[in-house]
Amino acid sequence: MLLLRCQLKQAPPQKVACIPKSSQFFSASRDRMVMMWDLHGSSQPRQQLCGHAMVVTGLAVSPDSSQLCTGSRDNTLLLWDVVTGQSVERASVSRNVVTHLCWVPREPYILQTSEDKTLRLWDSRGLQVAHMFPAKQHIQTYCEVSVDGHKCISCSNGFGGEGCEATLWDLRQTRNRICEYKGHFQTVASCVFLPRALALMPLIATSSHDCKVKIWNQDTGACLFTLSLDGSGPLTSLAVGDAISLLCASFNRGIHLLRMDHSQGLELQEVAAF
């Protein structure tokens, strides 16, 4: 019920980010506001953070939970002190329309995708661009960093198979492109690293507006399995649940619970929708 009340108090959330090992989380919406909520507290937000001129499209909490980074369609990133709710750093880059943010584990770095087709690595110490990866041919819609902080993946928009891919990058010294995952026919909206407990090899999962979830061999780029969620509409988000489960958000049918099955080789099955 708390989540329902939160939505009624704010425009429909576009992004959410949890504070690790806490009952608190942040939401961002089209009303340009960022709010902090407590699952065990009042239905009123604990904080309201206002600083962007357009819709907030990126949220990332630092590994030590002390800072929040927000990004917006106004080409701006803001760094906030979680305790005080005050903005401590601000950075703007022309045409840098933010599509997603994530914080690199155990590091002061923030990864960011943009509609200008680039992937940026920001240093939170002063909020400066530390590295720009080579520009892709299409808008970068989403990014995620591996648990060890050594690699990251981004994904692209597109249509008819043009674009529509995910890309694996090295986050260490070389920062080169390692592999590409091609096979979707519409925009790839989300990409995640799967837990190593799921298989003997490193795996990546992607979800797309083409109603498909694909599982890939991280190292070779081979597609190992495709699950079609017909009638779901565009698949908008993907998240790891437990060691064998994925949550997949869709435009038409809510959230799908997917399970990995190894009884007859690698398979992905839908077990529930809510």
Side-chain angles (χ1 to χ4, degrees):
M1 290 297 295
L2 175 61
L3 290 178
L4 177 60
R5 292 199 295 269
C6 290
Q7 290 177 359
L8 292 174
K9 299 291 184 180
Q10 185 188 29
Q14 302 297 301
K15 298 282 184 176
V16 293
C18 296
I19 298 178
K21 300 178 181 179
S22 167
S23 62
Q24 298 170 348
F25 68 97
F26 293 96
S27 66
S29 70
R30 291 186 179 277
D31 63 8
R32 300 170 293 173
M33 296 292 293
V34 176
M35 297 187 183
M36 177 197 275
W37 309 89
D38 193 325
L39 288 170
H40 301 150
S42 166
S43 62
Q44 299 295 321
R46 293 192 58 177
Q47 291 180 355
Q48 299 185 55
L49 311 180
C50 182
H52 287 289
M54 297 181 71
V55 54
V56 179
T57 49
L59 290 175
V61 179
S62 65
D64 65 2
S65 305
S66 67
Q67 294 180 309
L68 172 74
C69 187
T70 61
S72 168
R73 294 190 63 84
D74 63 8
N75 308 323
T76 299
L77 267 67
L78 291 173
L79 197 64
W80 307 82
D81 184 298
V82 168
V83 174
T84 66
Q86 298 298 309
S87 173
V88 295
E89 297 285 356
R90 182 185 187 93
S92 294
V93 175
S94 178
R95 296 187 294 276
N96 180 32
V97 178
V98 177
T99 56
H100 194 70
L101 293 171
C102 59
W103 211 295
V104 179
R106 300 176 295 279
E107 297 286 350
Y109 298 111
I110 303 154
L111 197 66
Q112 179 237 319
T113 48
S114 171
E115 286 193 7
D116 69 2
K117 307 175 184 177
T118 61
L119 184 67
R120 289 179 173 85
L121 190 66
W122 293 81
D123 191 330
S124 64
R125 299 164 297 187
L127 206 55
Q128 300 288 328
V129 176
H131 182 72
M132 285 184 62
F133 293 84
K136 299 282 289 179
Q137 293 185 335
H138 295 81
I139 290 170
Q140 298 298 284
T141 58
Y142 190 86
C143 57
E144 179 164 295
V145 180
S146 60
V147 173
D148 61 13
H150 294 167
K151 298 180 179 69
C152 66
I153 42 177
S154 66
C155 48
S156 300
N157 81 336
F159 184 77
E162 182 68 26
C164 315
E165 80 265 2
T167 306
L168 181 69
W169 306 89
D170 190 347
L171 268 180
R172 292 168 292 184
Q173 291 184 350
T174 61
R175 292 177 177 164
N176 293 329
R177 184 177 67 187
I178 302 172
C179 191
E180 287 192 327
Y181 311 92
K182 297 184 176 182
H184 286 292
F185 288 92
Q186 294 186 39
T187 293
V188 180
S190 189
C191 48
V192 295
F193 291 94
L194 296 182
R196 285 301 298 266
L198 285 176
L200 297 177
M201 67 191 78
L203 300 176
I204 283 173
T206 55
S207 65
S208 168
H209 289 184
D210 63 11
C211 306
K212 292 178 172 58
V213 178
K214 289 182 177 287
I215 306 296
W216 310 83
N217 182 313
Q218 177 182 298
D219 297 330
T220 68
C223 182
L224 304 177
F225 191 80
T226 299
L227 175 66
S228 296
L229 296 172
D230 298 328
S232 64
L235 303 181
T236 56
S237 184
L238 196 62
V240 175
D242 55 29
I244 59 170
S245 300
L246 288 172
L247 294 171
C248 181
S250 66
F251 191 81
N252 292 339
R253 291 175 50 204
I255 298 173
H256 306 258
L257 176 61
L258 313 177
R259 289 269 168 82
M260 301 288 291
D261 184 3
H262 293 274
S263 59
Q264 296 181 343
L266 180 63
E267 292 186 356
L268 189 63
Q269 300 175 346
E270 180 180 11
V271 296
F274 51 96

